[in-house]
Amino acid sequence: MTEHTATSTPVNHYESAAAWRAVDDYFVSELVPEDQALVSARGSGVHTTMPNAEVAANQGALLGLVAQMTGARRVLEFGTLAGYSTIWLARAVGPEGRVVTFELEEQNAAVARANLERAGVSDRVDVCVGPAAHSAQDLVDAETEPFDLVFIDADKPSNPAYLDAALRLTTSGAIIIIDNVVRDGAVISPDTADPRVDGVRSVTRMISENPELDATAIQTVGTKGWDGFILARRR
Ligand code: DHB
Ligand code: MG
């Protein structure tokens, strides 16, 4: 038996969710080790209304890298939860940057504020409590300075409304990222009545029909299972 055959890939092993997690663990430990503030923020997810919905560490790092690659100074986030992704984004924009993050539940906002404080970024983050569509309208009405990057990661049925708001709060060159668009493949299931899947499909159609938006969607596997995100840019 050649060495190559002896070490050839056992395909099923590498298709398992346990293997996806192990590979995430490997790259996260090598490239994206969480500091104490991020570890605490992730752990505090159990005190929110949606435990374990934070992005994975490597996905948080991707958000930060996209913010840095595009020179984003103003970031808008739909869905704060424990503030885990908020920390990545706030660190990426730097001390002169600003993150505005929308959270429906005061309970979650309180958890997030403590995490942002611990991470040393609370001075550059506004946590706005209430329905995100209302908070967004308030910013539109106040003629807030446009945002450079928008991360949409809140209640999925509202994705179309949040994209609409994002388009009112950005201009040419802005980046829009939408989380959880694959949902274990449910996005293409013919017989789903899940309003979260409807929210994904509707927002996907909105993007496809908007000539101002260049976009792609990337599937991911890892500690969060099988999911993915849409990455869009305003022309
Ligand atoms: C769900 C939402 C999220 O933001 C996430 O990362 C995972 C799951 C959900 O609504 O099920
Ligand atoms: Mg999410």
Side-chain angles (χ1 to χ4, degrees):
M1 196 183 282
T2 65
E3 191 180 344
H4 174 77
T5 305
T7 58
S8 66
T9 304
V11 169
N12 289 332
H13 172 71
Y14 288 103
E15 287 178 350
S16 78
W20 301 345
R21 256 193 303 281
V23 172
D24 257 10
D25 288 348
Y26 164 69
F27 281 118
V28 167
S29 67
E30 287 287 332
L31 302 177
V32 206
E34 292 175 322
D35 67 0
Q36 197 49 53
L38 288 168
V39 170
S40 298
R42 179 175 304 290
S44 72
V46 296
H47 302 302
T48 70
T49 53
M50 277 194 67
N52 300 318
E54 287 82 22
V55 298
N58 46 356
Q59 296 166 347
L62 177 64
L63 292 172
L65 285 165
V66 170
Q68 290 179 323
M69 288 187 291
T70 56
R73 280 288 165 266
R74 290 178 51 77
V75 172
L76 177 62
E77 179 179 59
F78 289 77
T80 314
L81 213 55
Y84 182 86
S85 48
T86 322
I87 293 172
W88 279 104
L89 291 165
R91 286 176 167 170
V93 299
E96 305 304 316
R98 193 101 211 132
V99 178
V100 177
T101 182
F102 296 152
E103 173 53 48
L104 178 63
E105 307 282 351
E106 176 52 46
Q107 173 193 339
N108 300 340
V111 172
R113 285 191 200 98
N115 288 326
L116 296 164
E117 191 75 42
R118 206 176 286 115
V121 293
S122 54
D123 55 334
R124 66 186 85 151
V125 180
D126 296 319
V127 183
C128 302
V129 180
H134 295 184
S135 300
Q137 187 59 48
D138 288 346
L139 294 187
V140 172
D141 293 345
E143 297 181 29
T144 303
E145 192 184 331
F147 292 92
D148 307 306
L149 188 156
V150 182
F151 180 44
I152 299 177
D153 189 23
D155 56 303
K156 311 312 173 188
S158 299
N159 274 341
Y162 297 158
L163 176 63
D164 196 57
L167 292 172
R168 292 172 196 277
L169 289 163
T170 57
T171 56
S172 174
I175 302 296
I176 300 171
I177 301 173
I178 307 176
D179 197 21
N180 311 116
V181 299
V182 175
R183 316 194 66 83
D184 288 316
V187 64
I188 59 160
S189 173
D191 57 354
T192 181
D194 186 337
R196 297 170 300 182
V197 172
D198 286 341
V200 171
R201 289 180 183 159
S202 297
V203 83
T204 300
R205 176 59 57 88
M206 277 176 71
I207 293 168
S208 74
E209 290 177 347
N210 188 331
E212 261 196 55
L213 292 173
D214 295 320
T216 187
I218 297 296
Q219 302 184 66
T220 55
V221 294
T223 55
K224 296 289 161 176
W226 177 24
D227 213 329
F229 60 91
I230 286 174
L231 174 63
R233 180 183 179 275
R234 273 190 95 151
R235 286 193 183 154

